[in-house]
Amino acid sequence: MKLLIVAPSSKLTGGVSFHYKGLQPHWTSEVRYARYGKRPGVPAALCLLPDLLAYIWQLIFFRPDVVVVNPSFRPYQLVRDGVYLLLAKAFGRKVVTWFHGWDGTFAERCIASPNMVRRVYGKCSFIYVLSSDFRKQFQSMGIDVPVLLGSTVVDDALLEGFDANERVGEVNNLLYLARIDRAKGIYEAIDAFALAKKSLPELTFTICGSSEDAAAVNDVKAYVERIGLGDCVLFQGAVYGERKRQAYAAGDIYILPSYGEGMATSVLEAMAFGLPVISTPYGGIKDFFTNGEMGFLIPSHRPEDIATKIVWLATHPEACHRISRNNSAYAAQHFLASKVAAKFESDLREHCIMPQIPRVVSVYPYFSNVGGAQNVTIQLARHLNTEKPIVLIETSCAQVPAQYAEGVRYEQLSWRTVLRLADRRTVFISHHRKTTLKLLLWQFLLLRQIKVIHVAHSVFNNLRWICLFPKHNVAVSETVKRNLVGFFHVPEQHVHVIYNGIPDCSASALQSRPSKEIKVLHIGRICSVKRQVALAEALRGRLPQHIQLHFAGDGPDAMQLKAAVEKDRQMKYLGYVPTHDLLEHYDYLLLFSEQEGLGLTLLEACRAGVPMITNDIPSVLEVNEDHRTGYVFRSFDDLAAGIGSLPKPCDEAYATLSKAARAKYEELFREEHMIAQYKAVIHTVYGNEKD
């Protein structure tokens, strides 16, 4: 894939230049840049015509697959980059726009009169913005191309040699690292520091940054002297490279009470260095930030409110330490340039490069009952085909549950069927080890290429020597991947982790739950692996009076479970009821299985904002984070001892858990994310390689 990125000179110090400097080492595509705008010592007006001619030259002779333009949503930049966009389309190139800044007032004017924006930027393959609020405004203009959430980046090299785990939660130094500007809240930050210092006399304040207006910096310094803080406020000017690393490493809390942001890079860098953040709820930060777990977003700009949070963090070192760990881990997963580059290239392949998806034939042997693997098999079959999907099964077609029958053609799995379906446009996705083994043997015996993808839904520790796996495998969790690699010796590069995804039903998410009682739901197939019977027997007579535990589902152990709960007034067996009909009536979801691949009920709980109660098996811990999205107990006895201390639905702590669970769904388990990743794997199998 060849990319031509239209961006300012790399010798400038602006946000877009820094953005692509961070991404540059991590491209896997062939990338060139078309520079525009001013250069050091050369005004932008003199560069306009040479820049356009150089750009056209690259369109003709470099012949990029995709052109990427990088405006802010402001009048001049929209027009300027619109010209570059239209030139690219005139040469038959696909275009992507990445908006790095946003003028909300101008956006409201464009919503009222959207024709220019719609006619020009509606030609993009997709658009990146930095905030869901910006996305809503853009979509209100009638743009019907995909509008995706992007992110500014933290340069991986900036963190080299730094270990956030060395932080212990002590607070001695407040850090501000941004432009010296009233709009960034510099005066509010200084006033908040002055107030906090009354309670924390040893506290110091480091201010890093500069301004194009030297008088503005002098005014801030004079203000600090005037209020008597000159000996405890250190001005370091603009910092880069090693000096920036040292500034973040020396800071203990990061403060940025700005009056408006897109996605402040300094906030993401501070999080990567493990600093708790005190900022304001503007731009993209609202889409991921969890108050109390990452720091605090304070909308008031009142120095008194900011100072209160500074003092609270300084006097709660354990919480400060926990926040530090949370922030460094979250930033490493989401904001490092290597992660952002990989996601960007994935989105480019999906929306710009990938050819039409071929026919996908799904294969799973057992369809006489409802289950998680069956759900995913049908879900992928329906979403990965433009025509009526085919599912190969060993169960009699007459036994297929009604909910799976609509819109799907079932055929018996046999070598004749596979031989008939196997052609250059077909990929078989097998969801069971047995059917994968058959497909690979038939691939060999029929002496023709059968393209096969295996999906591993669970962890197994048997039949290693009679299992075969293709070159492309999907694991539904990191735990399942470790099982494939460690137990079955599948090469790690042959395994893609794609979390299961479910469609959004946000209407029931994060509902108000005022009750002081707690209703807990355990839902799933009633069997020994799910351990409902053992759980009911372990908790019989041990539940506090304010807790009700209900079991839902069907399976071989259903009668035993019914007998186990019938004499306990606080436990009840409901029979089979669909999850989405139940979750909105319960406060917690309970799952204590012996083993799981990736429990769909946990994903449904995250979607509905329902906190979880689980044991500590590895795959479950990928969904449920202890004291963040729910609670984790090691044993039945630990559960019995701890269940009485769960936050009630009316508690603030419960609301925090609920919000974090929903955020987990948004981050990992959306259906569209899953489908896009499967399409990318299919493209690799179908378009580029031979199995």
Side-chain angles (χ1 to χ4, degrees):
M1 181 167 58
K2 298 199 298 185
L3 305 182
L4 179 60
I5 298 174
V6 183
S9 169
S10 60
K11 297 179 180 179
L12 300 178
T13 58
V16 177
S17 296
F18 283 137
H19 181 80
Y20 285 107
K21 284 178 184 176
L23 295 177
Q24 182 59 40
H26 307 290
W27 297 124
T28 60
S29 304
E30 184 180 356
V31 175
R32 293 188 185 179
Y33 294 88
R35 302 299 183 181
Y36 63 64
K38 66 180 180 180
R39 310 296 199 273
V42 183
L46 294 180
C47 299
L48 179 59
L49 183 58
D51 287 343
L52 283 172
L53 293 175
Y55 172 65
I56 293 171
W57 180 273
Q58 294 209 65
L59 288 175
I60 295 171
F61 293 101
F62 177 52
R63 299 182 61 83
D65 297 303
V66 183
V67 173
V68 183
V69 296
N70 293 273
S72 289
F73 200 89
R74 297 183 176 92
Y76 168 73
Q77 294 184 356
L78 276 182
V79 173
R80 179 198 62 197
D81 285 61
V83 171
Y84 281 86
L85 188 158
L86 293 174
L87 281 171
K89 297 303 293 184
F91 281 88
R93 307 298 171 215
K94 294 183 178 179
V95 182
V96 168
T97 298
W98 194 325
F99 284 101
H100 295 266
W102 199 263
D103 183 333
T105 303
F106 177 65
E108 291 294 340
R109 296 207 304 269
C110 290
I111 291 173
S113 181
N115 287 343
M116 188 277 286
V117 175
R118 192 162 55 213
R119 289 175 182 173
V120 176
Y121 289 89
K123 298 180 184 296
C124 294
S125 295
F126 69 90
I127 293 168
Y128 263 159
V129 295
L130 297 178
S131 161
S132 58
D133 290 341
F134 302 163
R135 177 166 63 185
K136 290 175 184 176
Q137 284 189 301
F138 212 95
Q139 290 170 334
S140 297
M141 299 172 201
I143 299 292
D144 57 4
V145 302
V147 181
L148 312 179
L149 291 182
S151 173
T152 51
V153 302
V154 176
D155 189 347
D156 297 50
L158 185 64
L159 294 167
E160 290 179 2
F162 177 80
D163 184 1
N165 293 321
E166 294 180 358
R167 294 190 181 276
V168 295
E170 294 182 356
V171 173
N172 299 303
N173 184 35
L174 194 65
L175 175 65
Y176 172 100
L177 195 156
R179 191 173 69 251
I180 305 295
D181 194 321
R182 285 187 179 274
K184 295 289 185 180
I186 182 63
Y187 286 97
E188 288 80 358
I190 293 169
D191 290 342
F193 167 69
L195 292 171
K197 192 165 177 62
K198 295 177 182 178
S199 301
L200 306 168
E202 301 301 318
L203 187 66
T204 60
F205 190 13
T206 300
I207 297 176
C208 300
S210 61
S211 173
E212 293 182 358
D213 182 3
V217 178
N218 292 332
D219 288 345
V220 171
K221 291 181 177 179
Y223 180 72
V224 168
E225 293 292 339
R226 191 162 61 250
I227 62 176
L229 295 177
D231 60 343
C232 51
V233 176
L234 175 63
F235 287 88
Q236 291 196 342
V239 292
Y240 305 103
E242 181 60 30
R243 291 187 62 210
K244 180 189 279 191
R245 182 186 295 111
Q246 291 173 357
Y248 282 124
D252 298 309
I253 296 174
Y254 184 74
I255 181 170
L256 185 70
S258 177
Y259 282 82
E261 293 289 341
M263 177 81 83
T265 302
S266 63
V267 169
L268 310 189
E269 291 173 340
M271 291 178 64
F273 277 87
L275 273 68
V277 170
I278 299 175
S279 190
T280 44
Y282 295 105
I285 192 172
K286 295 190 301 180
D287 293 322
F288 68 84
F289 198 92
T290 302
N291 262 331
E293 294 298 322
M294 296 175 171
F296 300 98
L297 296 184
I298 304 172
S300 70
H301 293 96
R302 296 178 66 244
E304 296 85 350
D305 297 336
I306 301 169
T308 298
K309 297 304 183 183
I310 296 171
V311 173
W312 189 91
L313 288 169
T315 54
H316 291 79
E318 291 184 1
C320 201
H321 187 216
R322 184 188 73 249
I323 291 171
S324 177
R325 295 198 313 272
N326 288 346
N327 284 0
S328 61
Y330 191 90
Q333 182 64 31
H334 297 89
F335 304 138
L336 289 184
S338 53
K339 301 286 186 181
V340 175
K343 180 182 182 300
F344 185 35
E345 289 188 295
S346 175
D347 288 339
L348 288 169
R349 282 190 292 270
E350 178 188 352
H351 294 282
C352 303
I353 304 301
M354 192 184 309
Q356 183 179 3
I357 294 296
R359 177 173 63 183
V360 173
V361 174
S362 297
V363 187
Y364 187 74
Y366 309 121
F367 261 93
S368 58
N369 62 282
V370 175
Q374 291 92 331
N375 289 344
V376 175
T377 300
I378 298 301
Q379 183 183 20
L380 291 176
R382 288 171 174 163
H383 283 278
L384 294 175
N385 286 283
T386 56
E387 54 198 40
K388 190 171 185 177
I390 299 171
V391 178
L392 304 185
I393 61 177
E394 293 182 354
T395 306
S396 167
C397 294
Q399 293 180 287
V400 175
Q403 69 188 76
Y404 294 145
E406 184 178 353
V408 177
R409 189 173 96 211
Y410 290 94
E411 297 188 25
Q412 289 296 303
L413 175 63
S414 69
W415 74 271
R416 291 181 182 274
T417 306
V418 171
L419 179 61
R420 174 172 54 83
L421 294 174
D423 57 31
R424 293 184 178 274
R425 62 178 294 265
T426 300
V427 174
F428 293 86
I429 299 185
S430 171
H431 296 262
H432 196 283
R433 290 182 295 168
K434 180 174 73 171
T435 56
T436 299
L437 176 64
K438 287 184 177 181
L439 289 169
L440 293 176
L441 290 175
W442 288 337
Q443 181 186 56
F444 174 76
L445 293 173
L446 295 173
L447 298 179
R448 62 186 299 166
Q449 185 174 338
I450 299 176
K451 298 177 174 64
V452 180
I453 298 171
H454 173 75
V455 180
H457 290 271
S458 192
V459 172
F460 297 100
N461 56 8
N462 61 356
L463 305 179
R464 175 195 300 168
W465 303 112
I466 62 171
C467 290
L468 291 178
F469 296 93
K471 188 174 182 179
H472 297 278
N473 302 271
V474 171
V476 300
S477 67
E478 292 287 349
T479 303
V480 173
K481 177 180 178 178
R482 288 194 292 270
N483 179 241
L484 287 175
V485 174
F487 184 78
F488 292 101
H489 305 306
V490 178
E492 185 172 3
Q493 66 269 26
H494 292 176
V495 184
H496 310 263
V497 176
I498 302 178
Y499 288 108
N500 290 333
I502 53 177
D504 197 2
C505 296
S506 57
S508 63
L510 307 177
Q511 293 188 34
S512 175
R513 305 174 190 271
S515 174
K516 293 185 178 181
E517 295 184 349
I518 292 177
K519 295 178 67 178
V520 181
L521 175 67
H522 190 304
I523 188 166
R525 181 167 170 77
I526 313 298
C527 60
S528 59
V529 174
K530 300 289 187 182
R531 301 200 297 178
Q532 292 98 329
V533 175
L535 179 63
E537 291 174 348
L539 296 181
R540 185 186 298 138
R542 302 174 72 180
L543 291 176
Q545 291 297 315
H546 67 287
I547 292 181
Q548 291 285 321
L549 172 57
H550 294 173
F551 294 89
D554 198 4
D557 292 352
M559 297 308 295
Q560 289 177 262
L561 177 62
K562 185 176 180 180
V565 304
E566 62 183 358
K567 294 183 180 180
D568 192 306
R569 293 184 178 181
Q570 291 170 258
M571 291 193 288
K572 185 178 180 180
Y573 173 53
L574 305 176
Y576 174 76
V577 185
T579 310
H580 59 79
D581 291 340
L582 281 178
L583 272 174
E584 62 185 86
H585 303 296
Y586 287 85
D587 307 308
Y588 289 90
L589 179 83
L590 174 63
L591 187 68
F592 235 76
S593 298
E594 184 176 302
Q595 68 178 37
E596 288 282 347
L598 189 71
L600 286 178
T601 55
L602 296 179
L603 276 56
E604 291 169 330
C606 289
R607 177 180 65 185
V610 174
M612 294 155 281
I613 307 167
T614 66
N615 55 348
D616 59 351
I617 59 176
S619 59
V620 168
L621 295 180
E622 292 185 50
V623 185
N624 187 26
E625 301 178 53
D626 193 23
H627 287 79
R628 176 171 169 75
T629 60
Y631 294 93
V632 176
F633 299 96
R634 294 180 179 276
S635 65
F636 291 150
D637 287 338
D638 288 347
L639 174 61
I643 197 169
S645 61
L646 296 176
K648 296 180 176 63
C650 56
D651 295 342
E652 183 178 347
Y654 181 90
T656 300
L657 293 171
S658 178
K659 181 180 178 182
R662 173 67 187 184
K664 193 81 168 182
Y665 165 76
E666 294 279 358
E667 176 189 350
L668 295 178
F669 306 127
R670 296 188 68 89
E671 182 181 62
E672 55 266 35
H673 295 170
M674 176 186 73
I675 299 301
Q677 291 177 81
Y678 271 97
K679 287 180 178 179
V681 175
I682 291 169
H683 171 59
T684 301
V685 175
Y686 179 72
N688 295 339
E689 298 180 24
K690 295 181 179 180
D691 284 342

